[in-house]
Amino acid sequence: MSQLEGDEAIYYVADDYEMAEVDDDMYFRARLMGDSESDEDDDDEYDHLDNKITDTTAADARRGKDIQGIPWERLSITREKYRQTRLEQYKNYENIPQSGEGSEKECKTTKKGGKYYEFWRNTRSVKSTILHFQLRNLVWSTSKHDVYLMSHFSIVHWSSLSSKRTEVLDVSGHVAPCEKHPGNLLEGFTQTQVSTLAVRDNLLIAGGFQGELICKYLDQPGVSFCSRTTYDENAITNAVEIYNSPSGGIHFMASNNDCGVRDFDMERFQLSKHFSFPWPVNHTSLSPDGKLLVIVGDNPEGILVDSQTGKAIMPLCGHLDFSFASAWHPDGRIFATGNQDKTCRVWDVRNLSKSVSVLKGNLGAIRSIRFTSDGNFMAMAEPADFVHVYDAKNGFEKEQEIDFFGEISGMTFSPDTEALFIGVWDRTYGSLLQYNRCRNYTYLDTIL
């Protein structure tokens, strides 16, 4: 991934990804994607327009309220016109020039209008934030009521059931482990800049800009394990994946900018494998049977490798830029990769000579991909404004396009597939969007 560190990465998002300046004196421009997400003082300037931060519910949306609470009726531009301007002016970041244009000819035409998840709530009291503009895996769900996300220098828990926000870990100061394990960095870290996050069941892992790894069990006080993957100056942790090994033990894999993928055994709190590749690794996904790894990074080609040896099995050819996302379908045959060429490619392990589908975004790179646990749906997130949910069960022929305004910090399906959460990063309209799965309970009509 690109070598932007700390504040430089934040300013890249705020400056180069600022929403289009469609009207010089329009207050909307100043409120959406402002100069700094952390500039909280600016909120006071608009108190006369919004007396308090209010959430939007499904009932509000049915009555015509904008799902993000944007007062279009008081602005000098319509939502439709602003959307068009945004599509025309948004600048997609590319490491290889014109990769987005070059990928268009292969893209599959999908039917729009799918209705798989319906809007339920937009929570503006939860501010989801981003540190590096290319890394968007900062929102995770452990149930349809429990979400974990980055909010400035805190990892927070949001309960959609009680509408309560709770701080889980403050990384702005000193963080050190409270347990002694071989390889545990007992001195810990200070002012960790969290670049990526993973949460599964009771385990939370945060990765940092300097190769930091912080491991915390959510049902235990304190931090269990701290480690630094490398002291290489090119050390940023790009992604973390938590999984259960075939023996039942808990492991996680860290993908780093030093070209390494490291596997940690959380039963023994030790590094168990370390694979090196020719280029920085931005994301890694393990197949459901634990035998195969998808490796993508700062190279148009990805690699399918043996998870035990790290040896390449097959290159993944087709993307035109660097990739930052990957995910396996639960059946273990299908997987997907997301790229800065604005496409998501769907692959079948039985024939890797070419991808079986090429799905295109509207305005930018595909930075996050998730499958539902039942395999029926796949969601892909662009850097901003759009999350696409595809009918994976029926060959990705149809999609639901979720449309809003703001940078996407991450997205996650709940393990039971009932909820989809999307983190929106914006100085004023930053929030957590919740969509609930549409269910057809027609049998209930016979009772009425």
Side-chain angles (χ1 to χ4, degrees):
M1 50 144 266
S2 296
Q3 294 304 297
L4 296 179
E5 298 291 332
D7 290 343
E8 189 181 353
I10 298 171
Y11 294 143
Y12 187 93
V13 179
D15 295 340
D16 287 2
Y17 280 70
E18 185 172 359
M19 288 196 170
E21 299 187 10
V22 297
D23 187 338
D24 289 340
D25 58 359
M26 187 176 67
Y27 105 93
F28 180 53
R29 172 174 62 84
R31 288 170 62 82
L32 281 165
M33 300 307 296
D35 294 333
S36 170
E37 160 42 12
S38 61
D39 192 1
E40 296 175 355
D41 292 340
D42 286 353
D43 290 342
D44 297 338
E45 182 181 346
Y46 302 105
D47 280 349
H48 65 287
L49 292 169
D50 287 305
N51 292 326
K52 62 179 181 177
I53 291 176
T54 57
D55 294 347
T56 307
T57 66
D60 293 330
R62 286 193 294 270
R63 289 192 291 267
K65 182 178 179 180
D66 180 82
I67 63 168
Q68 293 179 270
I70 300 170
W72 296 103
E73 70 281 359
R74 286 146 58 188
L75 304 180
S76 58
I77 191 169
T78 64
R79 189 186 195 280
E80 293 72 23
K81 176 62 177 174
Y82 192 77
R83 167 54 68 213
Q84 185 59 39
T85 304
R86 185 94 161 121
L87 287 168
E88 292 169 358
Q89 297 187 8
Y90 189 91
K91 293 180 287 185
N92 178 45
Y93 184 88
E94 297 175 335
N95 285 98
I96 298 176
Q98 280 77 56
S99 62
E101 289 79 0
S103 67
E104 288 182 1
K105 60 181 179 295
E106 284 191 80
C107 289
K108 177 177 185 173
T109 301
T110 56
K111 297 177 185 175
K112 301 288 180 70
K115 188 71 173 175
Y116 314 127
Y117 284 81
E118 58 186 348
F119 173 76
W120 181 251
R121 191 176 191 89
N122 182 52
T123 306
R124 287 176 63 189
S125 55
V126 181
K127 295 289 187 182
S128 177
T129 56
I130 299 168
L131 193 58
H132 193 287
F133 73 100
Q134 289 173 307
L135 305 179
R136 308 298 184 93
N137 290 298
L138 296 169
V139 179
W140 292 86
S141 168
T142 56
S143 84
K144 62 183 177 182
H145 302 305
D146 298 283
V147 189
Y148 296 84
L149 64 154
M150 282 304 303
S151 185
H152 304 291
F153 275 93
S154 290
I155 300 170
V156 301
H157 167 255
W158 170 255
S159 169
S160 63
L161 198 60
S162 65
S163 296
K164 184 178 179 182
R165 175 189 184 276
T166 307
E167 185 177 77
V168 175
L169 186 63
D170 180 358
V171 296
S172 64
H174 183 235
V175 175
C178 59
E179 303 173 16
K180 290 185 178 181
H181 301 286
N184 213 348
L185 202 64
L186 296 178
E187 63 268 31
F189 307 114
T190 301
Q191 294 184 333
T192 306
Q193 294 177 302
V194 175
S195 52
T196 192
L197 189 67
V199 186
R200 180 173 173 175
D201 298 326
N202 280 323
L203 179 60
L204 179 152
I205 300 172
F209 264 73
Q210 304 302 320
E212 303 98 329
L213 290 169
I214 300 171
C215 305
K216 175 179 173 57
Y217 283 99
L218 297 170
D219 58 351
Q220 299 175 18
V223 168
S224 295
F225 185 66
C226 287
S227 180
R228 194 183 294 274
T229 54
T230 176
Y231 286 88
D232 191 289
E233 119 182 352
N234 193 10
I236 188 167
T237 309
N238 292 325
V240 172
E241 181 177 38
I242 303 170
Y243 70 95
N244 291 102
S245 69
S247 63
I250 301 171
H251 284 238
F252 73 87
M253 274 187 189
S255 306
N256 283 77
N257 232 41
D258 70 344
C259 307
V261 173
R262 295 166 176 84
D263 186 292
F264 288 83
D265 179 348
M266 287 305 291
E267 303 296 316
R268 297 180 298 143
F269 294 93
Q270 287 184 1
L271 176 68
S272 59
K273 297 189 194 81
H274 180 192
F275 304 140
S276 292
F277 297 92
W279 25 260
V281 179
N282 295 327
H283 203 271
T284 304
S285 291
L286 182 71
S287 62
D289 64 6
K291 294 180 179 179
L292 300 172
L293 276 175
V294 175
I295 309 289
V296 297
D298 286 4
N299 190 60
E301 290 186 7
I303 316 173
L304 189 69
V305 306
D306 184 298
S307 66
Q308 298 304 308
T309 64
K311 291 184 178 178
I313 294 172
M314 182 72 72
L316 305 173
C317 304
H319 281 303
L320 303 180
D321 208 309
F322 297 172
S323 293
F324 284 82
S326 61
W328 283 87
H329 188 282
D331 69 6
R333 293 187 293 103
I334 300 294
F335 63 90
T337 53
N339 191 275
Q340 291 184 156
D341 65 8
K342 298 185 183 180
T343 70
C344 167
R345 286 182 178 260
V346 181
W347 310 81
D348 189 322
V349 292
R350 296 168 297 185
N351 181 8
L352 292 169
S353 59
K354 67 174 185 176
S355 52
V356 295
S357 289
V358 185
L359 309 172
K360 190 164 183 65
N362 292 327
L363 51 69
I366 307 306
R367 298 219 177 270
S368 183
I369 301 171
R370 299 282 186 270
F371 282 96
T372 52
S373 58
D374 61 8
N376 286 343
F377 303 106
M378 183 197 79
M380 69 179 201
E382 302 190 43
D385 294 20
F386 294 102
V387 169
H388 306 261
V389 182
Y390 289 91
D391 182 352
K393 189 177 180 180
N394 294 298
F396 305 90
E397 297 289 338
K398 193 172 184 179
E399 68 163 298
Q400 174 184 356
E401 189 175 270
I402 298 174
D403 173 349
F404 50 92
F405 292 100
E407 296 287 316
I408 299 169
S409 61
M411 64 162 182
T412 177
F413 287 111
S414 61
D416 64 1
T417 79
E418 290 300 316
L420 169 63
F421 296 94
I422 303 165
V424 181
W425 184 86
D426 184 81
R427 187 182 64 184
T428 300
Y429 290 101
S431 65
L432 183 68
L433 284 165
Q434 179 179 349
Y435 284 75
N436 285 353
R437 188 162 175 176
C438 298
R439 295 292 189 182
N440 185 11
Y441 295 122
T442 52
Y443 67 89
L444 292 176
D445 295 339
T446 62
I447 303 173
L448 302 177

